[in-house]
Amino acid sequence: MLILGIETSCDETGIALYDSERGLLAHALHSQIAMHEEYGGVVPELASRDHIRRVLPLIRRVMRESGAAPEDLDAVAYTQGPGLAGALLVGTSVANALAFTLGIPAIGIHHLEGHLLSPLLASNPPRFPFVALLVSGGHTQLMRVAGVGEYELLGETVDDAAGEAFDKTAHLLGLGYPGGPALAQLAEAGRAGKYKLPRPMLERMHKTGNLDFSFSGLKTAVLLLVRKEAADAAAKADVAAEADAVARAGAAAGTDVAAGIDAAGKADIAASFQEAIVDVLVAKSLYALEQTGLDQLVVAGGVGANRRLRERLDRGAAEQGYAVFYPEYEFCTDNGAMIALAGALRLGAGAIGATSVVGASSLANVSEGTVGASLLANPTYAFTVKPRWDLAATGL
Ligand code: KG4
Ligand code: ZN
């Protein structure tokens, strides 16, 4: 079966063709980072308009590269949510129009399911069941994955997502958007042990068995640290008044607060922050393996590209006899390949409309409102997007 995958949930237009027997045939990605950079973050309206410009040319490109014709397609899989409504509508509209024209199913995929299954694209894929650590800009979750559509939530963030914490800290240090990779790069030159930052919800983990995360306290601790270091630096330069001004400006705008800190100082802060977040992610992931009795960990989502996280997870897992699986670097962040793969697995696994709901998870109801068995028999191609797609929002 040949499946076209379309991802337009945020600031990347990702297109891919996946063959259930031959694997990934072609994929293409257009990143809008340069466009959003001057605004310091994603501008939703601009994102939608850019997806419109890119989506069909990119589909033509992957078709040409793989030598496939539209008539060869068996289904079109698209990201139905969660994400930016306008951006999601672009991929959703194109996917349904294409499927309607060809008389094939259009399969709405949960963006996180795409991330979750993305390590299966690698040459050495994990086998079900496994524990998955999902760390993206919007989510931080630990899941027990028994099969396609069988996701049990083990723990999740109660406030900021890990990627969000990286991005906000990067912003505080005056780094550009997206902040995660820039902060990670700066951290390479810093001393991780220089500052002691909190490891939220870690101390009592073994007592409570709690696998939830919290990163907002860490964010506040970094803000206070940056303010203090900026004030100290200014005082050293004998401009104490400026120290106050720096602190006040930072408090008001949440930015430029680190202006007085030199490059080495910023690198130390970046490294100390990264180490704190990595400590928490590693400890909780290993504890999730212990709790579930599973021995494979899958890491997915943008923060999964973080080198230090990989280093520490690899070491920690090896010590305890676990195996860790990552998507290829290019499939860590948003892409069309993971959506095409998820579509193929849902079709091939016959799992459409058959998601088993275990625990409270934003992934637990991925099939609700998506293709459904009836759409295969009698396609209506009526479509909606789900900018917020989780259990609470659907009242389940
Ligand atoms: O999965 P993703 O591409 O998009 C979402 O679905 O959110 O993840 C993007 C997030 C951003 O917060 C970005 O800063 C972070 O992943 N990220 C990183 C790294 N690369 C991307 N965070 C830390 N270190 C990295 N190397
Ligand atoms: Zn993502």
Side-chain angles (χ1 to χ4, degrees), residues 118-126 325-328:
S118 61
L120 300 177
L121 287 164
S123 48
N124 172 32
F325 299 82
Y326 307 94
E328 308 282 350

Side-chain angles (χ1 to χ4, degrees), residues 44-76:
E45 179 64 22
L46 294 183
S48 313
R49 293 182 193 192
D50 200 62
H51 286 307
I52 290 175
R53 266 198 297 274
R54 311 287 173 185
V55 65
L56 287 172
L58 286 180
I59 290 175
R60 284 187 57 159
R61 194 163 109 198
V62 300
M63 288 284 188
R64 206 169 43 234
E65 278 173 16
S66 59
E71 304 75 55
D72 299 334
L73 293 175
D74 292 295
V76 185

Side-chain angles (χ1 to χ4, degrees), residues 189-204:
R191 292 166 293 177
K194 175 79 181 56
Y195 300 107
K196 187 128 192 62
L197 291 166
R199 269 74 171 151
M201 301 187 80
L202 201 54
E203 269 166 27
R204 298 178 60 245

